[in-house]
């Protein structure tokens, strides 16, 4: 096997989604529209969860945190990709690349922990509804959120430190952001120890929320099978369906991207999965949670009416001042 030449890397070059120049404007336009839709949709969810008194519940607190995570996930990766798409220089300094890796891994892992907390919220609401307010409250949700941030931050720090200890034999990353798998691919020798640590740590940190979620849904399924009221069963299904869909989108993408050795890394397929995970999924999540949720739709319409009235009053006030100045 040929020996790769070791080089001291001070910057990386992100090759992006495509190397074809004629595709860059198309990619830029499509990604920009989807990015703005993701930011707008998740921002609206945060606003309605914070402004509507009827949504001041633990479930909507967790939903607003999930929206903030989706905003962060897209913002960590997509703006830089948009700049590089229309730029000749696609380089990123080494330290910036490691920083992006840290925040991407932290925010991405945090989404799984929030979905696990939301599954627990649904479990308590369906299986022990009479004790829901005593068990699930804002204090518990805040403690879960803060603890999860500590865990995922330490996990991401471990990932980043492992990557900084690698020796690279090139600086061209076949990706649109600094992700751990293409960075491992650039290593001069196969980083077996790093792969084992990353795989086992990933199963523990990312896999544990997944198994907790499905354990919760097994209990929920048993409780639903014992329901005699069709209305209660329909409400329970409606409550859980959106969450299950988001869980499948997230963990399906994560498993496809990371739970495999770097030797089986497929450049094109994994970039497609990455764009789905970092952009399409955050864009779809607000739609999934709002289209079938009457409380969210009611709060959104209330917010839109409030904003419309505010604009109308502002216009009337400006016209009144203009009229007074004209008369004077």
């Amino acid at each position: 096997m040929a020996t790769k030449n070791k080089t001291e890397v001070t910057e990386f070059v992100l090759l992006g989604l495509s190397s074809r120049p004629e595709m860059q404007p198309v990619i830029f336009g499509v990604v920009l529209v989807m990015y703005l839709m993701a930011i707008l949709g998740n921002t609206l969810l945060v606003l309605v969860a914070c402004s509507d008194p009827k949504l001041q519940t633990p479930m909507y607190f967790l939903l607003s945190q999930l929206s903030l995570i989706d905003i962060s996930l897209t913002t960590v990766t997509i703006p830089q990709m948009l700049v590089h798409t229309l730029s000749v220089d696609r380089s990123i300094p080494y330290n910036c690349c490691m920083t992006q890796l840290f925040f991407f891994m932290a925010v991405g892992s945090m989404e799984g922990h929030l979905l696990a907390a939301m599954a627990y919220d649904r479990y308590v609401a369906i299986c022990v509804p009479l004790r829901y307010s005593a068990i699930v409250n804002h204090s518990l949700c805040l403690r879960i959120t803060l603890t999860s941030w500590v865990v995922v931050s330490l996990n991401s720090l471990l990932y980043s430190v492992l990557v900084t200890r690698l020796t690279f034999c090139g600086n061209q990353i076949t990706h649109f952001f600094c992700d751990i798998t293409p960075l491992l691919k650039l290593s001069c020798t196969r980083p077996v120890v790093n792969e084992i640590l990353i795989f086992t740590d990933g199963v523990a940190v990312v896999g544990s929320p997944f198994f907790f979620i499905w354990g919760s849904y097994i209990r929920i399924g048993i409780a639903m099978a014992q329901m005699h009221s069709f209305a209660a069963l329909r409400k329970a299904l409606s409550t859980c369906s959106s969450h299950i869909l988001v869980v499948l989108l997230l963990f399906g993408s994560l498993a496809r991207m990371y739970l495999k050795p770097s030797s089986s890394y497929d450049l094109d397929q994994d970039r497609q999965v990455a764009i789905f995970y970092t952009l399409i999924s955050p864009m779809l999540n607000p739609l999934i949670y709002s289209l079938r949720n009457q409380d969210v739709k009611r709060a959104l319409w209330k917010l839109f009416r409030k904003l419309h009235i505010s604009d109308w009053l502002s216009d009337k006030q400006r016209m009144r001042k203009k009229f007074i100045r004209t008369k004077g």
Side-chain angles (χ1 to χ4, degrees):
M1 183 173 67
T3 304
K4 298 181 180 179
N5 294 324
K6 299 180 180 180
T7 57
E8 182 180 354
V9 175
T10 58
E11 64 178 21
F12 293 99
V13 177
L14 297 170
L15 299 183
L17 285 176
S18 174
S19 58
R20 296 168 58 186
E22 67 275 12
M23 290 298 298
Q24 303 310 312
V26 177
I27 293 173
F28 178 86
V30 172
V31 171
L32 177 61
V33 170
M34 295 175 70
Y35 173 67
L36 293 176
M37 290 176 63
I39 296 296
L40 177 62
N42 285 288
T43 301
L44 285 175
L45 268 185
V46 173
L47 288 176
V48 298
C50 295
S51 62
D52 195 295
K54 293 184 179 180
L55 300 185
Q56 302 296 311
T57 63
M59 182 180 73
Y60 289 107
F61 169 80
L62 294 173
L63 182 57
S64 66
Q65 294 301 304
L66 183 65
S67 292
L68 289 173
I69 289 297
D70 283 338
I71 292 172
S72 302
L73 185 63
T74 55
T75 304
V76 165
T77 56
I78 300 303
Q80 176 187 259
M81 173 195 171
L82 290 172
V83 172
H84 284 175
T85 300
L86 298 182
S87 174
V88 177
D89 182 13
R90 298 187 177 186
S91 63
I92 178 173
Y94 180 89
N95 291 335
C96 293
C97 184
M98 295 301 110
T99 302
Q100 185 183 50
L101 174 66
F102 171 81
F103 282 108
F104 171 75
M105 298 304 297
V107 173
S109 301
M110 185 62 188
E111 188 164 9
H113 287 253
L114 279 176
L115 290 174
M118 294 171 73
Y120 178 71
D121 173 86
R122 293 300 84 205
Y123 159 73
V124 177
I126 294 173
C127 298
V128 282
L130 296 179
R131 297 185 57 201
Y132 177 81
S133 59
I135 298 174
V136 181
N137 50 53
H138 283 89
S139 176
L140 175 65
C141 292
L142 186 60
R143 290 199 301 271
I144 291 174
T145 303
L146 293 176
T147 303
S148 298
W149 271 118
V150 172
V151 171
V152 300
S153 296
L154 292 175
N155 174 64
S156 299
L157 182 62
L158 171 63
Y159 276 51
S160 302
V161 170
L162 288 174
V163 172
T164 58
R165 295 173 65 87
L166 296 175
T167 302
F168 297 103
C169 294
N171 71 337
Q172 292 192 345
I173 302 176
T174 312
H175 215 309
F176 58 90
F177 68 95
C178 291
D179 197 9
I180 192 161
T181 310
L183 285 170
L184 290 177
K185 197 75 175 177
L186 284 179
S187 177
C188 295
T189 57
R190 184 178 176 187
V192 179
V193 176
N194 294 49
E195 286 187 354
I196 293 174
L197 286 173
I198 289 168
F199 183 84
T200 54
D201 182 69
V203 170
V205 175
V206 179
S208 54
F210 176 79
F211 292 117
F212 180 86
I213 290 169
W214 289 112
S216 300
Y217 274 110
I218 289 173
R219 298 291 300 273
I220 290 173
I222 295 172
M224 290 171 63
Q226 298 172 350
M227 291 180 178
H228 301 291
S229 170
F230 178 75
L233 178 62
R234 182 179 178 181
K235 183 179 180 181
L237 286 172
S238 177
T239 302
C240 297
S241 59
S242 300
H243 182 260
I244 292 175
L245 181 56
V246 172
V247 168
L248 291 174
L249 290 175
L250 172 67
F251 286 99
S253 301
L254 289 178
R256 179 65 183 83
M257 287 172 66
Y258 300 114
L259 296 185
K260 59 182 180 180
S262 63
S263 57
S264 62
Y265 180 70
D266 186 286
L267 302 178
D268 293 328
Q269 289 184 9
D270 281 55
R271 278 186 290 184
Q272 293 170 9
V273 176
I275 199 69
F276 180 87
Y277 169 61
T278 58
L279 183 60
I280 298 176
S281 183
M283 182 188 69
L284 293 177
N285 285 351
L287 297 175
I288 293 171
Y289 277 110
S290 61
L291 287 179
R292 298 186 61 185
N293 190 315
Q294 296 301 322
D295 292 334
V296 173
K297 287 197 288 188
R298 176 193 52 77
L300 279 171
W301 282 117
K302 184 178 178 181
L303 178 64
F304 290 154
R305 286 197 302 268
K306 189 181 297 184
L307 293 174
H308 178 73
I309 291 172
S310 175
D311 292 340
W312 180 77
L313 289 175
S314 298
D315 291 338
K316 294 292 286 184
Q317 189 175 10
R318 284 194 295 269
M319 290 175 65
R320 185 180 301 171
K321 288 182 179 179
K322 185 178 179 179
F323 178 77
I324 293 173
R325 287 197 300 267
T326 303
K327 281 291 186 179

